[in-house]
Amino acid sequence: MQFREEHELHKRRWSRNLGLGLVLAAFVALVFGMTVVKVSNTDFSNAPGATPQQTGTK
Amino acid sequence: MTDASINTQVQEGEAGFGDFVALLKPRVMSLVVFTAAVGLLAAPVSVHPFLAFCAVLFIALGGGASGALNMWYDSDIDAVMKRTARRPIPSGKVAPQDALALGLALSVLSVVMLGLAANWLAAGLLAFTIFFYAVVYTMWLKRWTPQNIVIGGAAGAFPPMIGWAVATGGISLESVLMFALTFMWTPPHFWALALFMNSDYEKAGVPMLTVTHGRRSTRRHVLAYTLLLAPVAVGIAFTSIGGPVYLTVSVILNLLFIKGAFDILRRDEAVAEADKYRVEKRFFALSLLYLFLHFGAILAEAALKPWGLGGW
């Protein structure tokens, strides 16, 4: 049972909150995706502290 | 928190999500997305598709941020002009300080994220573009000189150069020519619009060329810039991003554009008013097609290259 009729104002705020939520979720997904691509495409064999075992070279 | 603490005071202007999206000028963003993507795809260095997607998205976001800053600063002008009176700030849907906050936050976010996704040269170019559009054009040139859109047009011309920098990490003749194409295209495009929207700029006190120098002079300027644009546009055909497809498209479009500019020059105001600026409106529509097809032809050349067909 609804105690009060929903005002137009609440609908607009709902659209704003939903939109912002989706934008933030998309941003998190973008940063995650960028991290995965960057890490998997970077050659770490010459990174400081890298050992031959870690890089797979002898 | 109880329901009683929610502010239920009726505010007719309370913004929805779409109003904030409108602040970013989505139509301008679509042009930015397209030209930046072409700059990126035409470059001789390939970029991981996901990073390319992110880079174009952040370039578009930077463009949107500068749009929000422009709407914040120009809300007084926008309220006077019929074409812009329904924008979020003059219509009372978004508070000016909210637009400013959104513009500044997205500016920083887009530049930093582009730097992380691609490289810091591309990010620097994006930062300069935002600064140029928001400060140099909006705050300084627009209200000061009738050459406002000539110099301000540089802001809209940077995206293909940024896209190129995302891929190559540098600037080259090709990216400078793509910049020059959009830069030289802007004056005839906007002055054609100003010819049939003159009363609006006059009312807002914006020193558009039609207001300060009159329509006769504006018609001459349209032709002059159209003639200067042609060699730049056709010249791209003889660089590494050009080829026979681009050359054909460019020659046809430039002949049509020059003919349109001559048609505009030949008319006087009585004739133009009699047919409700039919020729000027047709030239404006052609200018949109002109830019779209030029960048489309660059993209086509890049797409044909893997099959040994693109380029010379």
Side-chain angles (χ1 to χ4, degrees), chain A residues 4 7 9-10 12-13 15-20 23 27 29-35 37-38 41, chain B residues 3 6-12 14-17 20 48 50-51 53-54 57-58 109 113 116-117:
Chain A
R4 277 203 331 213
H7 194 273
L9 184 73
H10 294 105
R12 272 185 261 175
R13 281 186 185 168
S15 97
R16 205 165 67 188
N17 294 340
L18 179 71
L20 185 60
V23 165
F27 182 67
L30 275 181
V31 173
F32 178 71
M34 273 170 54
T35 309
V37 171
K38 286 267 183 185
N41 284 309
Chain B
D3 190 47
I6 297 170
N7 176 20
T8 53
Q9 194 179 12
V10 179
Q11 292 175 39
E12 287 298 318
E14 181 106 3
F17 185 70
F20 286 101
H48 189 284
F50 186 74
L51 292 181
F53 167 78
C54 289
L57 188 74
F58 295 132
L109 185 80
M113 291 308 296
L116 293 172

Side-chain angles (χ1 to χ4, degrees), chain B residues 25 70-71 74 78 83-93:
Chain B
K25 299 191 176 181
N70 168 272
M71 284 209 203
D74 273 353
D78 287 348
R83 184 171 65 88
T84 52
R86 291 171 71 184
R87 283 180 174 175
I89 299 175
S91 65
K93 288 176 185 162

Side-chain angles (χ1 to χ4, degrees), chain B residues 191 195-196 209-210 213-226 260-273 277 279-280:
Chain B
W191 282 330
L195 278 170
F196 56 89
L209 196 66
T210 44
H213 290 66
R215 289 159 184 251
R216 189 77 238 149
S217 172
T218 306
R219 288 172 191 279
R220 280 197 297 271
H221 275 74
V222 167
L223 177 64
Y225 275 89
T226 304
F262 268 113
D263 288 345
I264 283 182
L265 181 72
R266 274 201 294 266
R267 285 153 67 83
D268 58 30
E269 287 315 303
V271 178
E273 272 177 31
Y277 295 93
V279 171
E280 289 78 4

Side-chain angles (χ1 to χ4, degrees), chain B residues 198-216:
Chain B
N198 192 20
S199 56
D200 258 342
Y201 290 114
E202 215 160 358
K203 209 161 67 175
V206 176
M208 192 55 79
L209 196 66
T210 44
V211 179
T212 57
H213 290 66
R215 289 159 184 251
R216 189 77 238 149

